[in-house]
Amino acid sequence: MRRAVHLAAAGRLQLASSRRTAASGQQLFLRQLHSTPPPEAPASAAAAPAFASDAKEATYGAKGLDFFDSRLRINEWGAVSSIPKNDPAPHLRASSSSYVNHDGMRVDDGRYKSFLQDAAAVVPQPRIFTDPLHLLAYGSDASFYRLLPKAVIKVHSEAEVAGLLRLSQAHQVPVTFRAAGTSLSGQAVTDSIIISVGYVGKNFRRIDIKDDGSQVTAEVGLLGGEVNKLLAGHARRRKLPISHRIGPDPASIDAAMIGGRMHGTVPRCP
């Protein structure tokens, strides 16, 4: 909204009719933004607001803030994004062939090809995915972030995880672990390599409940709700006075897995 106010004050934006559809309104917005020239400075420039186009030194001057000195684009889904000219965003870095270990700059300078070739000796090739559909599906979680990985690898054992981590270190390729992908903070996405430990059959689903149920050891592929049901069944079978539950108790407890909960939820709780 603040951007629209600034552009309107600079004479670069005209309001679209409310009868237009959202898509046509966005297209009109872009056309007006890029084609409407700034107006001549008004005679009463002293009375103009501080963020007017001629107030270059003002705190809110459009040319003084990188965010306002930007261009817009609409993607294939109709979403409008603002791209500051000096913003090192992924779509502006795409022409670079120099690898930097930072989101959007992890181009394949040969290391990913070598990593995936060696990974095929650790994990069977049918569980290494590089097709566009898998990369798109694993490029987002429950957050609003999207990073397309270079590959998705589904592991079935600790030995496979250890082997991939050794290769990751050898090739200097970052990896991100993903369980159910319910994170609201983007912790399950990367533009490098995803190692998936969720929904891989019966793997990573062992559980060990101690005595009265106050201690439980669960692998990363179990859902939080599943663990609580198993704890309740343990208490019923042993006729225990108390049925324990794991905490904390987020809204996604029946969808989130132990791996993601330990990585994202528990460390933030007192």
Side-chain angles (χ1 to χ4, degrees):
M1 175 59 71
R2 189 175 67 170
R3 175 179 175 79
V5 171
H6 286 240
L7 294 175
R12 298 171 62 195
L13 172 64
Q14 299 176 6
L15 295 180
S17 169
S18 60
R19 292 191 298 271
R20 295 180 179 271
T21 63
S24 62
Q26 291 169 345
Q27 295 289 348
L28 177 62
F29 177 83
L30 283 184
R31 288 199 303 271
Q32 291 169 337
L33 178 62
H34 292 296
S35 63
T36 304
E40 295 294 331
S44 57
F51 49 78
S53 59
D54 59 326
K56 295 182 180 179
E57 302 300 325
T59 304
Y60 295 101
K63 296 295 182 182
L65 294 177
D66 293 340
F67 179 79
F68 296 119
D69 186 15
S70 61
R71 58 191 177 88
L72 298 186
R73 70 171 184 175
I74 297 180
N75 66 15
E76 57 268 37
W77 294 284
V80 178
S81 58
S82 175
I83 310 169
K85 292 179 180 178
N86 63 342
D87 178 35
H91 46 270
L92 298 182
R93 302 167 179 156
S95 60
S96 173
S97 59
S98 176
Y99 175 93
V100 178
N101 188 16
H102 191 280
D103 288 347
M105 297 192 71
R106 299 192 183 107
V107 296
D108 190 354
D109 58 354
R111 71 186 65 204
Y112 285 103
K113 181 178 180 180
S114 299
F115 172 84
L116 292 174
Q117 288 175 344
D118 292 343
V122 178
V123 177
Q125 188 66 48
R127 288 195 268 119
I128 301 177
F129 302 91
T130 57
D131 60 284
L133 182 58
H134 275 86
L135 301 188
L136 180 65
Y138 281 82
S140 60
D141 50 15
S143 71
F144 51 75
Y145 301 107
R146 179 176 292 281
L147 290 172
L148 297 183
K150 301 293 186 296
V152 177
I153 304 177
K154 295 188 176 184
V155 292
H156 284 181
S157 68
E158 294 178 13
E160 292 180 350
V161 172
L164 291 177
L165 291 180
R166 284 192 291 268
L167 292 177
S168 169
Q169 185 175 19
H171 292 283
Q172 291 297 289
V173 169
V175 298
T176 295
F177 287 93
R178 179 183 176 113
T182 61
S183 170
L184 297 175
S185 56
Q187 72 186 37
V189 297
T190 180
D191 63 354
S192 188
I193 301 293
I194 283 182
I195 297 180
S196 177
V197 297
Y199 302 111
V200 286
K202 296 181 179 180
N203 305 289
F204 300 111
R205 290 180 55 80
R206 291 177 296 181
I207 187 170
D208 180 27
I209 302 175
K210 302 294 184 183
D211 301 328
D212 62 349
S214 60
Q215 293 184 0
V216 58
T217 302
E219 288 193 312
V220 294
L222 282 165
L223 297 172
E226 288 181 313
V227 174
N228 282 336
K229 290 177 182 178
L230 291 170
L231 286 169
H234 177 82
R236 286 195 302 271
R237 288 191 300 273
R238 294 183 173 234
K239 298 181 179 180
L240 299 175
I242 297 176
S243 177
H244 293 275
R245 295 173 59 88
I246 59 170
D249 188 9
S252 61
I253 192 166
D254 290 325
M257 291 182 174
I258 295 297
R261 287 168 57 80
M262 295 302 298
H263 181 267
T265 308
V266 175
R268 295 196 295 268
C269 297

